Amino acid sequence: MKPHSPSCDRNRDPILAVLRELFADRREALEIGSGTGQHAVHFAAAMPWLRWQCSDAAAYLPGIRAWLDEAALANTPPPLELQAVVQPAPGFAPPPPLPRDADGASRGFDAAFSANTLHIMGWPQVEAFFAGLAMVLADEAVVAVYGPFNYGGCYTSDSNRAFDGWLKERDAASGIRDFEAVDALAAAIGLRLARDVEMPANNRCLVWRRG
C-alpha cells in the first residue's frame, strides 16, 4: 500500500497556489524531504513544465516510488536518496546529481521546495540543509520552505505552542524554528527573502531568491 499523510491532502492546494506563481518560469525543481510522495505527484501534475525531482532518506524511497509509479507522470524522475546530515563539513550526503543542459554541461536546480522538514530536524541538520542547498542551486534559484515558524522568539498561536511541545517530547532536538535564525542561514548562502506568505493552520511559506 502507498503511504498516506492526511496533512498533505489538507495543505497541497494552498501550497500549490503559491508554487504556481513562484515556479511559473522554473524548469528543474528539487523537493527535499518528499515524505510520502503525495505532494510530488500533485504538484508535478499541476505544473507539467517543471521536472520535479523527489528526494528523501532511503527508508522513504519505496513509498515515494509507489506514488510516482501509479501517477506515471513524464516529469517525475526516480527519487534520490538525500538527507541533511552533519559531516566534517555540513552538507548533503551525497549531493544529488545536478541537471544537465542539452550539451551535457552541469547546472544547478533553479527551484527547491521543502515542506514540514525543518522542525523535525535538529538544529545542526537545519544548518546542513542550507549548506547543502548552496551546492546544488542555480545562480538565480527560487527556494520555498513551508511549515510553522516562530517570530521574535514567540509562538504565533496556541496550537503551534502545543505542537512544539509534542515535537520536543518526541525528540528533544526538534522543534519549531525561529524565522530570524532560519533567514540568517539562508542569507549566509546568498539567498534573500522575497516573500513570507501566511498559510492555513498557522503555517508560513518562506520564499528566498538567489542572485
Side-chain angles (χ1 to χ4, degrees):
M1 294 180 63
K2 302 191 307 297
H4 180 263
S5 168
S7 65
C8 286
D9 289 338
R10 293 192 297 269
N11 64 34
R12 65 182 191 177
D13 288 323
I15 296 174
L16 177 59
V18 176
L19 296 186
R20 275 187 191 274
E21 177 184 350
L22 294 176
F23 293 169
D25 61 348
R26 307 289 96 180
R27 293 295 175 265
E28 299 277 354
L30 173 65
E31 182 183 11
I32 304 162
S34 297
T36 63
Q38 290 167 252
H39 277 161
V41 297
H42 189 66
F43 299 158
M47 298 182 285
W49 65 87
L50 193 62
R51 183 176 181 269
W52 193 272
Q53 177 64 69
C54 294
S55 69
D56 212 317
Y60 292 94
L61 299 190
I64 296 169
R65 289 192 193 99
W67 278 91
L68 298 184
D69 289 348
E70 181 181 80
L73 299 170
N75 58 332
T76 54
L80 299 173
E81 181 180 353
L82 191 64
Q83 191 169 6
V85 298
V86 181
Q87 297 179 317
F92 288 130
L98 299 181
R100 294 186 176 274
D101 292 322
D103 61 2
S106 178
R107 53 189 166 81
F109 291 91
D110 62 1
F113 169 75
S114 193
N116 292 324
T117 53
L118 301 190
H119 57 267
I120 64 173
M121 304 177 186
W123 184 250
Q125 286 71 38
V126 177
E127 293 177 316
F129 175 102
F130 282 94
L133 272 180
M135 298 189 294
V136 301
L137 292 179
D139 290 342
E140 298 183 356
V142 176
V143 178
V145 175
Y146 169 89
F149 292 92
N150 294 332
Y151 290 80
C154 298
Y155 298 105
T156 61
S157 67
D158 289 340
S159 62
N160 277 4
R161 183 190 299 274
F163 180 51
D164 189 59
W166 178 85
L167 287 169
K168 287 182 167 61
E169 287 181 5
R170 185 183 63 96
D171 178 0
S174 65
I176 296 178
R177 303 300 169 196
D178 289 338
F179 158 77
E180 294 83 359
V182 172
D183 188 47
L185 292 179
I189 64 166
L191 296 173
R192 58 177 178 82
L193 187 69
R195 293 180 65 185
D196 180 352
V197 185
E198 184 176 1
M199 305 293 287
N202 302 302
N203 288 299
R204 315 293 298 190
C205 188
L206 304 181
V207 182
W208 294 275
R209 290 185 180 271
R210 195 180 202 186

